[in-house]
Amino acid sequence: MQPVNKYSAINSVIFGILVATAIGCQSNAEEKEHKTGEAPTETPAIPATETFSLKKEDLSTAFHTPGELISYQQVDLYARETSFVKKLYADVGTEVKAGQLLISMEAPELNSRLAGAESRAKAQEAAYIASKANYNRLLETSKTPGTISQNDLDQALARMNADHAQLQSAQAGQKEISATKNYLEVRAPFAGIITARNVNLGAYVGPAGKGSEFPLFTLQDQKRMRLVVSIPEAYVGYVNSHTEIKFSVKAYPNEQFTAKVKRMAGALDTRLRSERIEMDVINNDKKLLPGMIAEVSIPLASKASSFVIPKSALVNSMERVFVVKVIDKKAVWIDVQKGREAEGNVEIFSDSLKIDDQLVKSASEEVRNGSTLTIK
């Protein structure tokens, strides 16, 4: 009897183990297939794509933006002539009427200038009266032939006209100084509230130099306010002179105010690319103050129906904005222009779309252009 090779025995044992393992796996697969009725290696089916029919709707949204309340009229009052404050008739918070005296000032040198102007005017008036009387006498005498030459008569007439012109000049100078003296009284140009005062009794004021850095008074009309808002370019087409807006302020968080668009700039600001619009706000109770920041809600109602789709159906990639249209079970990318958004819907515009077109409801770049779709 020949001895058994050691390595042949080991190989036989390994081969037997592999055969037993293969038989066991095949038995388990057959048993699983027998129980479930499915082949274990079958590829899962591609999920079906959900679509919807494209429709036109009226999408009404609102644009929220901050606005600023300013007084309807505001003016800073300065001194017209160099002078000293003589008396104050108003202070901060004083309600004044149009034409009411606010401050009186004094300038002694103006009285001297006025007295001098009056004296010059009277002297010129006397000279004119004398030259006029002389001319009238010569004119009467010249009616007798050979008594007065025509040259003497012409000179007398020229002298009278010159004296009359000098008199008019002197009288104009007198009126100018009188008018300047009237500037020593500052009156309210319109009814309103004094919101700032920067002078005291005896203060030196004037049109230039020390004492004129700040206005004497700041006057504001607060019974009617202006609400100023800047509308971005994208929303300009939705606002007109009949648009009514709502706004609120932090001082009265539970109260809502309304106003109607009154003025529109008609041009875009070159820096902000927005249009300035103004609303008039009646403020008889003076609850609203100039400088308040208002939270404004502007309705953006559509002028005509437009295509409205779920936001999930719009793909906004780095290169393009598009929707996926289904044509003969094929995916076709259609470029669109995005409009407004509201409550999970978005407005789109495209000449390549029409009513009842089928669009993919959950679109993405993974739905490749031209790929075959399984429709639900």
Side-chain angles (χ1 to χ4, degrees):
M1 183 175 182
Q2 295 181 354
V4 178
N5 190 300
K6 180 175 65 174
Y7 295 103
S8 298
I10 293 174
N11 290 337
S12 299
V13 172
I14 293 174
F15 178 75
I17 293 173
L18 291 176
V19 171
T21 302
I23 293 173
C25 290
Q26 183 176 0
S27 300
N28 292 336
E30 290 176 352
E31 183 180 357
K32 182 177 181 181
E33 181 179 0
H34 177 72
K35 291 180 180 180
T36 62
E38 297 179 357
T41 58
E42 183 179 352
T43 303
I46 299 175
T49 303
E50 185 178 357
T51 62
F52 66 95
S53 297
L54 185 61
K55 301 293 182 183
K56 281 192 172 182
E57 300 178 17
D58 291 329
L59 185 65
S60 295
T61 60
F63 172 64
H64 299 275
T65 184
E68 183 182 7
L69 285 165
I70 62 176
S71 57
Y72 188 77
Q73 296 183 92
Q74 176 175 327
V75 64
D76 293 331
L77 301 174
Y78 289 86
R80 173 66 175 78
E81 292 294 323
T82 301
S83 55
F84 295 90
V85 176
K86 182 180 180 181
K87 191 171 183 179
L88 295 170
Y89 298 92
D91 208 332
V92 174
T94 302
E95 290 192 36
V96 299
K97 299 179 180 179
Q100 182 175 330
L101 181 62
L102 304 179
I103 184 173
S104 61
M105 297 166 287
E106 58 182 354
E109 65 275 11
L110 277 181
N111 296 327
S112 299
R113 288 167 54 190
L114 181 59
E118 290 176 349
S119 298
R120 287 190 294 272
K122 290 180 179 179
Q124 290 299 329
E125 184 179 6
Y128 170 65
I129 292 173
S131 61
K132 182 179 181 182
N134 182 53
Y135 172 72
N136 289 334
R137 285 192 300 270
L138 291 177
L139 181 62
E140 288 296 326
T141 305
S142 66
K143 292 179 181 179
T144 302
T147 56
I148 301 295
S149 67
Q150 185 63 39
N151 182 55
D152 291 340
L153 189 63
D154 291 343
Q155 288 184 359
L157 177 61
R159 181 63 183 176
M160 182 189 69
N161 290 337
D163 288 341
H164 183 257
Q166 291 291 334
L167 174 60
Q168 289 181 323
S169 176
Q171 290 175 339
Q174 180 184 353
K175 289 181 180 179
E176 179 183 359
I177 297 176
S178 297
T180 300
K181 192 174 181 180
N182 292 333
Y183 289 131
L184 295 179
E185 291 184 347
V186 177
R187 298 181 180 273
F190 53 83
I193 298 177
I194 301 297
T195 58
R197 190 201 81 180
N198 299 301
V199 291
N200 293 296
L201 292 177
Y204 173 81
V205 294
K210 188 175 181 180
S212 62
E213 297 91 345
F214 303 102
L216 305 177
F217 294 105
T218 297
L219 177 63
Q220 293 182 342
D221 177 9
Q222 297 183 2
K223 288 189 176 180
R224 188 163 53 159
M225 309 282 287
R226 297 175 188 257
L227 177 59
V228 181
V229 179
S230 294
I231 301 296
E233 180 182 0
Y235 303 119
V236 167
Y238 299 101
V239 181
N240 54 51
S241 58
H242 301 291
T243 303
E244 188 174 90
I245 63 96
K246 296 180 180 180
F247 69 94
S248 61
V249 294
K250 291 182 178 180
Y252 309 101
N254 298 324
E255 190 169 353
Q256 198 169 57
F257 304 88
T258 60
K260 184 176 289 186
V261 175
K262 195 73 173 179
R263 288 166 294 276
M264 303 180 68
L268 296 182
D269 184 279
T270 54
R271 296 176 294 106
L272 303 176
R273 296 299 171 188
S274 59
E275 182 181 15
R276 176 190 174 107
I277 65 172
E278 292 185 359
M279 286 71 71
D280 289 349
V281 181
I282 303 301
N283 189 39
N284 290 326
D285 54 4
K286 301 184 182 65
K287 294 177 67 173
L288 301 175
L289 301 178
M292 281 185 170
I293 301 300
E295 183 62 32
V296 183
S297 176
I298 302 176
L300 304 177
S302 299
K303 296 180 180 179
S305 298
S306 55
F307 292 125
V308 178
I309 64 173
K311 290 179 65 175
S312 61
L314 182 68
V315 182
N316 194 347
S317 67
M318 295 292 292
E319 299 178 353
R320 57 199 293 190
V321 179
F322 64 92
V323 295
V324 180
K325 180 179 177 181
V326 180
I327 302 177
D328 296 332
K329 297 185 178 181
K330 297 284 187 179
V332 179
W333 289 7
I334 303 295
D335 291 332
V336 298
Q337 185 176 353
K338 181 182 176 183
R340 297 167 296 158
E341 296 183 17
E343 300 178 355
N345 294 326
V346 61
E347 188 179 42
I348 61 171
F349 303 93
S350 175
D351 294 334
S352 302
L353 295 174
K354 61 182 183 297
I355 297 176
D356 292 331
D357 279 348
Q358 296 297 309
L359 302 183
V360 174
K361 189 171 184 179
S362 298
S364 67
E365 291 181 288
E366 295 180 359
V367 182
R368 306 305 302 171
N369 191 16
S371 62
T372 302
L373 302 176
T374 303
I375 308 302
K376 281 188 179 181

